[in-house]
């Protein structure tokens, strides 16, 4: 064990003293702050165009919708021009408007036809078609015009109905489980999303760090000297544990920084003038047992992928070959990120239950589910048991590959050669 601890100490100290570790550890909280406040700050600075007068409305609805839309848009500046056209002349009018937009004489044009009058669809084409606030304003103006016409057709006062139906109701969702209230729903969603990204980044970054470290030792011909002093399996264990301790250190710094940012969120929002623009939510409380389970999933998930990355690194002698052998491992991790949205929106669905049991996605997606809902003890035990068994199998396989591969140089081995290493290794 002394030799394993020596490897752990060497790997840990060498990496935490590196400039890249210090940079990433400091840059992580800064990036969190930017991602937390910059989008809201930019949203407050991004307003719809104040002038809608530079577009033209091609009204082929035959019920006067164009003028109604223009009246709504007049509240934001100069009203747009309205051109009444018949259905058979609409294509020609669109071509003329398209040339005007391409020649920068117009910003865009809005088409209202018979389908618009029935409330099905309208069309817009213009240089600002990707500007979300402008498109929302146009869409709202068309909706109000169609509704106003319907109300008037029924003999109702459209203006009065619009005023009575204007209601900015907000609903605060609070998570309530067997242990009582557990924080706001938005807070649980933010916590789950943060945990998923943190685990994904840690597994990817430090798994590949181990792989690159193995390749570096092989390229510098240090591996023979090290293996002569310590058995390969103990060397592999020391590397995985040492780099894992580095990842844990960095995660503690990042989690502490995130909690500090959340505690000082209100003063920072006030300083940036975001009080009205930022949604208010509170992170749910996490019990000691839940935090311990998060840690177990991280350790097992990290160990699973780190040992496989180390084995992949021992099979090759160059970084170019490493990218090829690491691709299957990356393909095992990426589905966890792709499946994150459906798990976030339906944590008790069949898909979420299934993927949180699969060992290669459980380290990320089961903590996500635990952040959002109450997971049954049976599911937790089954997920941990499957993950542990897979982890032990990966360690057994990686140790056998690493034992031979770390001393092999030259061309990349074939799959048959790797299987031979596994069979003959003792």
């Amino acid at each position: 064990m002394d030799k394993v601890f020596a490897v752990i100490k060497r790997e840990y100290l060498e990496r935490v003293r590196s400039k890249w570790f210090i940079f990433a550890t400091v840059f992580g909280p800064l990036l969190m702050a930017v991602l937390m406040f910059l989008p809201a700050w930019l949203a407050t600075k991004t307003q719809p165009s104040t002038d809608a007068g530079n577009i033209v409305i091609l009204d082929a609805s035959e019920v006067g919708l164009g003028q109604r839309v223009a009246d709504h848009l007049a509240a934001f500046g100069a009203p747009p021009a309205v051109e009444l056209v018949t259905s058979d002349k609409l294509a020609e009018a669109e071509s003329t408007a398209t040339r005007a937009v391409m020649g920068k004489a117009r910003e865009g044009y809005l088409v209202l036809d018979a389908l618009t009058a029935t409330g099905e669809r309208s069309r817009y084409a213009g240089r600002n078609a990707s500007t979300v606030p402008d498109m929302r304003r146009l869409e709202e103006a068309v909706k109000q015009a169609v509704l106003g016409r319907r109300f008037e057709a029924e003999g109702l006062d459209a203006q009065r109905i619009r005023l009575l139906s204007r209601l900015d109701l907000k609903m605060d969702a609070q998570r309530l489980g067997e242990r009582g209230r557990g924080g706001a729903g938005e807070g649980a969603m933010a916590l789950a999303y943060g945990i998923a990204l943190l685990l994904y980044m840690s597994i990817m970054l430090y798994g590949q760090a181990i792989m690159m470290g193995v390749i570096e030792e092989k390229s510098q011909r240090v591996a023979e000297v090290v293996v002569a002093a310590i058995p390969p399996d103990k060397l592999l264990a020391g590397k995985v544990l040492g780099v894992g301790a580095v990842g844990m250190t960095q995660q503690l710094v990042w989690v502490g920084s995130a909690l500090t940012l959340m505690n000082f969120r209100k003063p920072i929002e006030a300083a940036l003038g975001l009080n009205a623009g930022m949604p208010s939510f509170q992170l749910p409380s996490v019990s000691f047992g839940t935090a311990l389970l998060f840690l177990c999933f991280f350790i097992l998930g990290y160990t699973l992928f780190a040992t496989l990355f180390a084995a992949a690194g021992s099979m090759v002698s160059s970084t170019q070959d490493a990218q090829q052998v690491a691709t299957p491992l990356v393909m095992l991790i990426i589905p966890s990120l792709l499946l994150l949205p459906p798990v976030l929106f339906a944590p008790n669905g069949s898909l979420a239950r299934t993927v949180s049991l699969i060992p290669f996605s459980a380290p990320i997606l089961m903590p996500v589910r635990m952040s959002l809902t109450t997971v049954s003890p049976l599911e937790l035990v089954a997920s941990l048991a499957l993950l542990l068994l897979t982890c032990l199998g990966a360690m057994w396989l990686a140790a056998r590959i690493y034992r031979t591969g770390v001393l092999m140089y030259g061309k990349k081995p074939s799959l048959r050669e790797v299987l031979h290493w596994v069979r003959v290794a003792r």
Side-chain angles (χ1 to χ4, degrees), residues 12 21 25 29 32 198-199 202 206 244-260 291 295 298:
Y12 183 81
F21 176 83
T25 305
M32 288 180 206
L198 194 63
L199 293 176
S202 299
Y206 289 101
V246 176
M248 191 65 69
T249 302
Q250 196 167 57
Q251 284 205 11
L252 288 175
V253 174
W254 286 353
V255 171
S257 302
L259 293 176
T260 303
L295 184 63
F298 168 72

Side-chain angles (χ1 to χ4, degrees), residues 56-78:
V56 61
I57 299 176
L58 304 179
D59 186 3
S61 65
E62 300 180 356
V63 291
L65 279 181
Q67 190 56 51
R68 291 175 182 271
V69 174
D71 292 341
H72 283 286
L73 293 176
F76 303 99

